[in-house]
Amino acid sequence: MDERSQVLAATLLGAVAGGLVGFLYLTDRGRRVRGQIEPMVESMITELERARGTVEKARDAALEGRRAVDDLLAPKESRPAETVWETREYSEASS
């Protein structure tokens, strides 16, 4: 896309956006439309926030699971003392 085409596209996009904003905020019909749209937008925002919270919880659970698996697979010598769960009987039996 050459420079002239980009300027034309940006100008048309700006004109359309300006016309839409003018319609929604400066006309009675636009105010009614805005009144109908706002509750839908608010409910979409609420649902998106809820979905984001769910994704964050899933990510945290996955990270915790990964840490648990890494702890289990790490060599016994490199594990912190509180994560070594093996009993003396297990160690003697595995030797």
Side-chain angles (χ1 to χ4, degrees):
M1 195 179 226
D2 65 340
E3 188 177 346
R4 288 180 71 163
S5 298
Q6 289 177 345
V7 169
L8 180 62
T11 302
L12 290 175
L13 184 62
V16 168
L20 183 62
V21 169
F23 169 74
L24 289 173
Y25 285 92
L26 300 176
T27 65
D28 289 333
R29 186 166 174 227
R31 287 184 190 100
R32 284 194 302 272
V33 169
R34 200 175 71 226
Q36 294 171 350
I37 292 173
E38 284 176 353
M40 290 187 306
V41 171
E42 288 175 6
S43 69
M44 280 184 9
I45 290 171
T46 301
E47 289 300 319
L48 289 173
E49 288 173 351
R50 193 175 303 159
R52 185 185 65 189
T54 302
V55 168
E56 286 177 5
K57 287 178 186 177
R59 181 182 51 105
D60 291 343
L63 289 173
E64 185 62 32
R66 171 80 187 255
R67 269 190 239 115
V69 169
D70 288 346
D71 286 346
L72 288 173
L73 296 178
K76 190 166 100 172
E77 297 81 32
S78 67
R79 290 187 213 166
E82 65 270 2
T83 62
V84 177
W85 297 340
E86 298 173 357
T87 64
R88 187 177 57 194
E89 292 82 19
Y90 175 80
S91 296
E92 290 171 359
S94 64
S95 299

